Coordinates of all heavy atoms in Angstrom, one line a residue:
M1 N -47.3 58.5 -7.0 CA -46.7 57.5 -7.9 C -45.6 58.1 -8.7 O -45.8 59.2 -9.2 CB -47.8 56.9 -8.8 CG -47.2 56.1 -9.9 SD -48.4 55.4 -11.0 CE -49.4 54.4 -9.9
K2 N -44.5 57.4 -8.8 CA -43.4 57.9 -9.6 C -43.6 57.5 -11.1 O -43.8 56.4 -11.4 CB -42.1 57.4 -9.1 CG -40.9 57.9 -9.9 CD -39.6 57.6 -9.1 CE -38.4 58.1 -9.9 NZ -38.6 58.5 -11.3
L3 N -43.5 58.5 -11.9 CA -43.7 58.2 -13.4 C -42.4 58.0 -14.0 O -41.4 58.7 -13.8 CB -44.4 59.4 -14.0 CG -45.9 59.7 -13.5 CD1 -46.4 61.0 -14.1 CD2 -46.8 58.6 -13.8
D4 N -42.4 57.0 -14.9 CA -41.2 56.6 -15.7 C -40.9 57.7 -16.7 O -41.8 58.5 -17.0 CB -41.4 55.3 -16.4 CG -41.5 54.1 -15.5 OD1 -41.1 54.2 -14.3 OD2 -42.0 53.0 -16.0
P5 N -39.7 57.7 -17.2 CA -39.4 58.6 -18.3 C -40.2 58.3 -19.5 O -40.7 57.1 -19.6 CB -37.9 58.4 -18.6 CG -37.3 57.7 -17.4 CD -38.5 57.0 -16.8
C6 N -40.4 59.2 -20.4 CA -41.2 59.0 -21.6 C -40.7 57.9 -22.4 O -39.5 57.8 -22.6 CB -41.2 60.3 -22.4 SG -42.0 60.2 -24.0
K7 N -41.6 57.0 -22.9 CA -41.2 55.9 -23.7 C -40.7 56.3 -25.1 O -40.0 55.5 -25.8 CB -42.3 54.9 -23.9 CG -42.9 54.3 -22.6 CD -42.0 53.2 -22.0 CE -42.7 52.4 -20.9 NZ -43.0 53.2 -19.7
F8 N -41.0 57.5 -25.5 CA -40.7 57.9 -26.8 C -39.5 58.8 -26.9 O -38.7 58.6 -27.8 CB -41.9 58.7 -27.4 CG -43.1 57.8 -27.6 CD1 -44.1 57.7 -26.5 CD2 -43.3 57.0 -28.7 CE1 -45.2 56.9 -26.7 CE2 -44.4 56.2 -28.8 CZ -45.4 56.1 -27.8
C9 N -39.3 59.7 -25.9 CA -38.2 60.6 -26.0 C -37.3 60.6 -24.8 O -36.3 61.2 -24.7 CB -38.7 62.1 -26.2 SG -39.4 62.8 -24.8
G10 N -37.7 59.8 -23.7 CA -36.9 59.8 -22.5 C -37.1 61.0 -21.6 O -36.4 61.1 -20.6
G11 N -38.0 61.8 -22.0 CA -38.2 63.1 -21.3 C -39.0 62.8 -20.0 O -39.4 61.7 -19.7
V12 N -39.1 63.9 -19.2 CA -39.8 63.8 -17.9 C -41.3 63.9 -18.1 O -41.8 64.8 -18.9 CB -39.3 64.9 -17.0 CG1 -40.0 64.9 -15.7 CG2 -37.8 64.8 -16.8
A13 N -42.1 63.1 -17.4 CA -43.5 63.2 -17.5 C -44.0 64.4 -16.7 O -43.5 64.7 -15.7 CB -44.1 61.9 -16.9
G14 N -45.0 65.1 -17.2 CA -45.6 66.2 -16.5 C -46.5 65.7 -15.4 O -46.7 64.5 -15.2
T15 N -47.0 66.6 -14.6 CA -47.9 66.3 -13.5 C -49.3 65.8 -14.1 O -49.8 66.4 -15.0 CB -48.2 67.5 -12.7 OG1 -46.9 68.1 -12.3 CG2 -49.0 67.2 -11.5
P16 N -49.8 64.6 -13.6 CA -51.1 64.2 -14.1 C -52.2 65.2 -13.8 O -52.2 65.8 -12.8 CB -51.3 62.9 -13.3 CG -49.9 62.5 -12.8 CD -49.1 63.7 -12.7
R17 N -53.0 65.3 -14.8 CA -54.2 66.2 -14.7 C -55.5 65.3 -14.5 O -55.6 64.3 -15.2 CB -54.4 67.1 -15.9 CG -53.4 68.2 -16.1 CD -53.9 69.0 -17.3 NE -54.3 68.2 -18.4 CZ -53.5 67.8 -19.3 NH1 -52.2 68.1 -19.3 NH2 -53.9 67.1 -20.4
D18 N -56.4 65.7 -13.6 CA -57.6 65.0 -13.6 C -58.7 65.9 -14.1 O -58.7 67.1 -14.0 CB -58.0 64.5 -12.2 CG -58.0 65.6 -11.2 OD1 -58.9 66.3 -11.1 OD2 -57.0 65.7 -10.4
D19 N -59.7 65.3 -14.8 CA -60.8 66.1 -15.3 C -62.1 65.3 -15.0 O -62.2 64.1 -15.2 CB -60.7 66.1 -16.9 CG -59.8 67.1 -17.4 OD1 -59.9 68.3 -17.0 OD2 -58.8 66.7 -18.1
Q20 N -63.1 66.1 -14.5 CA -64.4 65.5 -14.2 C -65.2 65.6 -15.4 O -65.4 66.7 -16.0 CB -65.0 66.3 -13.0 CG -66.3 65.6 -12.5 CD -66.8 66.3 -11.3 OE1 -66.5 67.4 -11.0 NE2 -67.7 65.6 -10.6
I21 N -65.7 64.5 -15.9 CA -66.5 64.4 -17.1 C -68.0 64.2 -16.8 O -68.8 64.6 -17.6 CB -66.0 63.4 -18.1 CG1 -66.0 62.0 -17.4 CG2 -64.6 63.7 -18.6 CD1 -65.8 60.9 -18.5
E22 N -68.3 63.7 -15.6 CA -69.7 63.5 -15.2 C -69.7 63.7 -13.7 O -68.6 63.8 -13.1 CB -70.3 62.2 -15.6 CG -70.7 62.1 -17.1 CD -71.1 60.7 -17.4 OE1 -71.9 60.2 -16.6 OE2 -70.7 60.2 -18.4
R23 N -70.8 63.7 -13.1 CA -70.9 63.9 -11.7 C -70.0 63.0 -10.9 O -69.4 63.4 -9.9 CB -72.4 63.8 -11.2 CG -72.6 64.3 -9.8 CD -74.1 64.3 -9.5 NE -74.7 63.0 -9.6 CZ -74.7 62.0 -8.7 NH1 -74.1 62.2 -7.5 NH2 -75.2 60.8 -8.9
D24 N -70.0 61.7 -11.3 CA -69.1 60.8 -10.5 C -68.2 60.0 -11.5 O -68.0 58.8 -11.3 CB -70.0 59.8 -9.7 CG -71.0 59.1 -10.6 OD1 -71.0 59.4 -11.8 OD2 -71.7 58.2 -10.1
A25 N -67.7 60.7 -12.5 CA -66.8 60.1 -13.4 C -65.6 61.0 -13.7 O -65.8 62.2 -14.1 CB -67.6 59.7 -14.7
W26 N -64.5 60.4 -13.6 CA -63.2 61.2 -13.7 C -62.3 60.5 -14.7 O -62.2 59.3 -14.7 CB -62.5 61.4 -12.4 CG -63.3 62.0 -11.3 CD1 -64.3 61.4 -10.6 CD2 -63.3 63.4 -10.9 NE1 -64.9 62.3 -9.7 CE2 -64.2 63.5 -9.9 CE3 -62.5 64.4 -11.2 CZ2 -64.4 64.7 -9.2 CZ3 -62.7 65.6 -10.6 CH2 -63.6 65.8 -9.6
V27 N -61.6 61.3 -15.5 CA -60.5 60.8 -16.3 C -59.3 61.6 -15.9 O -59.3 62.6 -15.3 CB -60.8 60.9 -17.8 CG1 -62.0 60.1 -18.2 CG2 -61.0 62.4 -18.2
A28 N -58.1 61.1 -16.4 CA -56.9 61.8 -16.1 C -56.0 61.7 -17.4 O -56.2 60.8 -18.2 CB -56.2 61.2 -14.9
S29 N -55.0 62.6 -17.5 CA -54.1 62.5 -18.6 C -52.7 63.0 -18.1 O -52.6 63.7 -17.1 CB -54.6 63.3 -19.8 OG -54.8 64.6 -19.4
V30 N -51.7 62.5 -18.8 CA -50.3 62.9 -18.5 C -49.7 63.4 -19.8 O -49.7 62.7 -20.8 CB -49.5 61.8 -17.9 CG1 -48.0 62.2 -17.7 CG2 -50.0 61.3 -16.6
D31 N -49.1 64.6 -19.8 CA -48.3 65.1 -20.9 C -46.8 64.8 -20.7 O -46.3 65.0 -19.5 CB -48.5 66.6 -21.0 CG -49.9 67.0 -21.4 OD1 -50.5 66.3 -22.2 OD2 -50.4 68.0 -20.9
C32 N -46.1 64.6 -21.7 CA -44.6 64.6 -21.7 C -44.1 66.0 -21.8 O -44.7 66.8 -22.5 CB -44.1 63.7 -22.8 SG -42.3 63.7 -22.8
T33 N -43.1 66.3 -21.0 CA -42.6 67.7 -21.1 C -41.5 67.8 -22.2 O -41.1 68.9 -22.5 CB -41.9 68.1 -19.7 OG1 -40.9 67.2 -19.4 CG2 -42.9 68.1 -18.6
G34 N -41.1 66.6 -22.7 CA -40.1 66.6 -23.7 C -40.6 66.5 -25.2 O -39.9 66.9 -26.1
C35 N -41.8 65.9 -25.4 CA -42.3 65.8 -26.7 C -43.8 66.0 -26.7 O -44.3 66.5 -25.7 CB -42.0 64.4 -27.3 SG -42.7 63.0 -26.5
E36 N -44.5 65.7 -27.7 CA -45.9 66.1 -27.8 C -46.9 65.0 -27.3 O -48.1 65.0 -27.5 CB -46.3 66.4 -29.3 CG -45.5 67.6 -29.8 CD -45.8 68.9 -29.0 OE1 -46.9 69.1 -28.7 OE2 -44.8 69.6 -28.6
I37 N -46.3 63.9 -26.7 CA -47.1 62.8 -26.3 C -48.0 63.2 -25.1 O -47.6 63.9 -24.2 CB -46.2 61.7 -25.8 CG1 -45.4 61.1 -27.0 CG2 -47.0 60.6 -25.1 CD1 -46.2 60.4 -28.0
T38 N -49.3 62.8 -25.2 CA -50.2 62.8 -24.1 C -50.9 61.5 -24.0 O -51.3 60.9 -25.0 CB -51.3 63.9 -24.4 OG1 -50.7 65.1 -24.6 CG2 -52.3 63.9 -23.2
V39 N -50.8 60.9 -22.8 CA -51.5 59.7 -22.5 C -52.8 60.0 -21.8 O -52.8 60.7 -20.8 CB -50.7 58.8 -21.6 CG1 -51.4 57.5 -21.2 CG2 -49.4 58.4 -22.3
T40 N -53.9 59.6 -22.3 CA -55.3 59.9 -21.8 C -56.0 58.6 -21.6 O -55.9 57.7 -22.3 CB -56.0 60.8 -22.8 OG1 -55.2 61.9 -23.1 CG2 -57.4 61.2 -22.2
M41 N -56.8 58.6 -20.5 CA -57.6 57.4 -20.2 C -58.8 57.3 -21.2 O -59.4 58.3 -21.6 CB -58.2 57.5 -18.8 CG -57.1 57.3 -17.8 SD -57.6 57.8 -16.2 CE -59.0 56.7 -15.9
Q42 N -59.1 56.1 -21.5 CA -60.2 55.8 -22.4 C -61.4 55.3 -21.7 O -62.4 54.9 -22.2 CB -59.8 54.7 -23.5 CG -58.6 55.0 -24.3 CD -58.7 56.3 -25.1 OE1 -59.7 56.5 -25.7 NE2 -57.7 57.2 -25.1
Y43 N -61.3 55.4 -20.4 CA -62.5 55.1 -19.5 C -62.4 56.0 -18.3 O -61.5 56.7 -18.1 CB -62.3 53.6 -19.1 CG -61.0 53.3 -18.4 CD1 -60.9 53.4 -17.0 CD2 -59.9 52.9 -19.1 CE1 -59.7 53.1 -16.4 CE2 -58.7 52.7 -18.5 CZ -58.6 52.8 -17.2 OH -57.4 52.5 -16.5
S44 N -63.4 56.0 -17.5 CA -63.4 56.9 -16.3 C -63.4 56.1 -15.0 O -63.7 54.9 -15.0 CB -64.7 57.7 -16.4 OG -65.8 56.9 -16.3
C45 N -63.0 56.8 -14.0 CA -62.9 56.3 -12.6 C -63.9 57.0 -11.8 O -64.3 58.1 -12.1 CB -61.5 56.4 -12.1 SG -60.3 55.3 -12.9
D46 N -64.2 56.5 -10.6 CA -65.2 57.2 -9.7 C -64.6 58.2 -8.8 O -65.3 58.8 -8.0 CB -66.0 56.2 -9.0 CG -65.1 55.2 -8.1 OD1 -63.9 55.5 -8.0 OD2 -65.7 54.3 -7.6
S47 N -63.3 58.5 -8.9 CA -62.7 59.6 -8.1 C -61.4 60.1 -8.8 O -60.8 59.4 -9.5 CB -62.3 59.1 -6.7 OG -61.1 58.3 -6.7
P48 N -61.1 61.4 -8.5 CA -59.9 61.9 -9.2 C -58.6 61.2 -8.7 O -57.7 61.0 -9.5 CB -59.9 63.4 -8.7 CG -60.9 63.5 -7.6 CD -61.9 62.4 -7.8
Q49 N -58.6 60.8 -7.4 CA -57.4 60.1 -6.9 C -57.2 58.8 -7.7 O -56.1 58.4 -8.1 CB -57.6 59.7 -5.4 CG -57.5 60.9 -4.5 CD -58.9 61.7 -4.5 OE1 -59.9 61.2 -5.0 NE2 -58.8 62.9 -3.9
R50 N -58.3 58.1 -7.9 CA -58.2 56.8 -8.6 C -57.9 57.0 -10.1 O -57.1 56.3 -10.7 CB -59.6 56.1 -8.5 CG -59.7 54.8 -9.2 CD -59.0 53.7 -8.4 NE -58.9 52.4 -9.1 CZ -57.7 51.8 -9.4 NH1 -56.6 52.3 -8.9 NH2 -57.7 50.7 -10.1
A51 N -58.4 58.1 -10.7 CA -58.1 58.4 -12.1 C -56.6 58.7 -12.2 O -55.9 58.2 -13.2 CB -58.9 59.6 -12.6
V52 N -56.0 59.4 -11.3 CA -54.6 59.8 -11.4 C -53.7 58.5 -11.2 O -52.7 58.3 -11.8 CB -54.2 60.9 -10.4 CG1 -52.7 61.0 -10.2 CG2 -54.8 62.2 -10.8
E53 N -54.2 57.6 -10.3 CA -53.5 56.4 -10.1 C -53.5 55.5 -11.4 O -52.5 55.0 -11.8 CB -54.3 55.6 -9.0 CG -53.5 55.1 -7.8 CD -54.4 54.5 -6.8 OE1 -54.9 53.4 -7.0 OE2 -54.7 55.2 -5.8
C54 N -54.7 55.5 -12.0 CA -54.8 54.7 -13.2 C -53.9 55.3 -14.3 O -53.3 54.5 -15.1 CB -56.2 54.7 -13.7 SG -57.3 53.7 -12.7
I55 N -53.9 56.6 -14.5 CA -53.1 57.2 -15.6 C -51.6 57.0 -15.3 O -50.8 56.8 -16.2 CB -53.5 58.6 -15.8 CG1 -53.1 59.1 -17.2 CG2 -52.8 59.6 -14.8 CD1 -53.8 58.4 -18.3
G56 N -51.2 57.0 -14.0 CA -49.8 56.7 -13.7 C -49.4 55.3 -14.1 O -48.4 55.1 -14.7
E57 N -50.3 54.3 -13.8 CA -50.0 52.9 -14.2 C -50.0 52.8 -15.7 O -49.1 52.1 -16.3 CB -51.1 52.0 -13.7 CG -51.0 51.7 -12.2 CD -52.3 51.1 -11.6 OE1 -53.1 50.6 -12.4 OE2 -52.4 51.2 -10.4
M58 N -50.9 53.5 -16.4 CA -50.9 53.4 -17.9 C -49.7 54.0 -18.5 O -49.1 53.5 -19.4 CB -52.2 54.2 -18.3 CG -52.7 53.8 -19.7 SD -54.1 54.7 -20.1 CE -55.3 54.1 -19.0
W59 N -49.2 55.2 -17.9 CA -48.0 55.8 -18.4 C -46.8 54.9 -18.2 O -46.0 54.8 -19.1 CB -47.8 57.2 -17.7 CG -46.5 57.8 -18.1 CD1 -45.3 57.5 -17.5 CD2 -46.3 58.8 -19.1 NE1 -44.3 58.3 -18.1 CE2 -44.9 59.1 -19.0 CE3 -47.1 59.4 -20.0 CZ2 -44.3 60.0 -19.9 CZ3 -46.5 60.4 -20.8 CH2 -45.1 60.6 -20.8
N60 N -46.7 54.3 -17.1 CA -45.6 53.4 -16.8 C -45.6 52.1 -17.6 O -44.5 51.5 -17.8 CB -45.5 53.1 -15.3 CG -45.1 54.4 -14.5 OD1 -44.7 55.4 -15.0 ND2 -45.2 54.3 -13.2
S61 N -46.7 51.7 -18.0 CA -46.8 50.4 -18.7 C -46.7 50.6 -20.2 O -45.7 50.4 -20.8 CB -48.0 49.6 -18.3 OG -49.2 50.3 -18.5
K62 N -47.9 50.9 -20.8 CA -48.0 51.0 -22.2 C -48.7 52.2 -22.6 O -49.9 52.2 -22.7 CB -48.8 49.7 -22.7 CG -48.9 49.6 -24.2 CD -49.4 48.2 -24.5 CE -50.8 47.9 -24.0 NZ -51.9 48.3 -24.8
P63 N -48.0 53.3 -22.9 CA -48.7 54.5 -23.3 C -49.5 54.3 -24.6 O -49.0 53.9 -25.6 CB -47.5 55.5 -23.6 CG -46.3 54.9 -23.0 CD -46.5 53.4 -23.0
A64 N -50.8 54.6 -24.5 CA -51.7 54.5 -25.6 C -51.6 55.9 -26.4 O -52.6 56.5 -26.6 CB -53.1 54.2 -25.2
A65 N -50.4 56.3 -26.7 CA -50.3 57.6 -27.3 C -50.5 57.6 -28.8 O -50.2 56.6 -29.5 CB -48.9 58.1 -27.0
R66 N -51.0 58.7 -29.3 CA -51.3 58.8 -30.7 C -50.5 60.0 -31.2 O -50.6 61.1 -30.7 CB -52.8 59.0 -30.9 CG -53.6 57.8 -30.8 CD -55.0 58.1 -30.5 NE -55.8 56.9 -30.2 CZ -55.7 56.2 -29.1 NH1 -55.0 56.6 -28.1 NH2 -56.4 55.1 -29.0
L67 N -49.7 59.7 -32.2 CA -48.8 60.7 -32.8 C -49.5 61.5 -33.9 O -50.3 60.9 -34.6 CB -47.5 60.1 -33.3 CG -46.6 59.5 -32.3 CD1 -45.5 58.7 -32.9 CD2 -45.9 60.7 -31.5
Ligands
ZN1 ZN1 -41.7 62.4 -24.6

């Protein structure tokens, strides 16, 4: 998935990271390479692929970033 430029600084999005939080639960996050923004999932998916897909959609739509 192609990630849009950062909504805050216009910078390039970093590579999505996936993290396993339980045996069958994954979350993912994306850091901006231009500012301190990180978009992190507030829920989990059942595979790392799905988690990275979800975080890509989230980054491209409405970053739930906290400054
Ligand atoms: Zn940024």
Side-chain angles (χ1 to χ4, degrees):
M1 170 181 299
K2 182 165 180 347
L3 297 173
D4 291 344
C6 176
K7 300 280 193 296
F8 296 91
C9 74
V12 178
T15 305
R17 288 189 313 274
D18 56 76
D19 281 304
Q20 187 171 19
I21 55 170
E22 283 176 45
R23 193 172 56 83
D24 56 356
W26 302 77
V27 296
S29 56
V30 176
D31 292 323
C32 177
T33 60
C35 67
E36 298 302 313
I37 294 293
T38 300
V39 176
T40 305
M41 286 165 63
Q42 304 299 314
Y43 55 93
S44 59
C45 293
D46 58 8
S47 77
Q49 291 78 14
R50 181 80 190 120
V52 167
E53 237 173 73
C54 289
I55 200 66
E57 282 165 20
M58 204 180 293
W59 174 275
N60 287 348
S61 59
K62 183 169 60 89
R66 285 159 183 77
L67 289 168

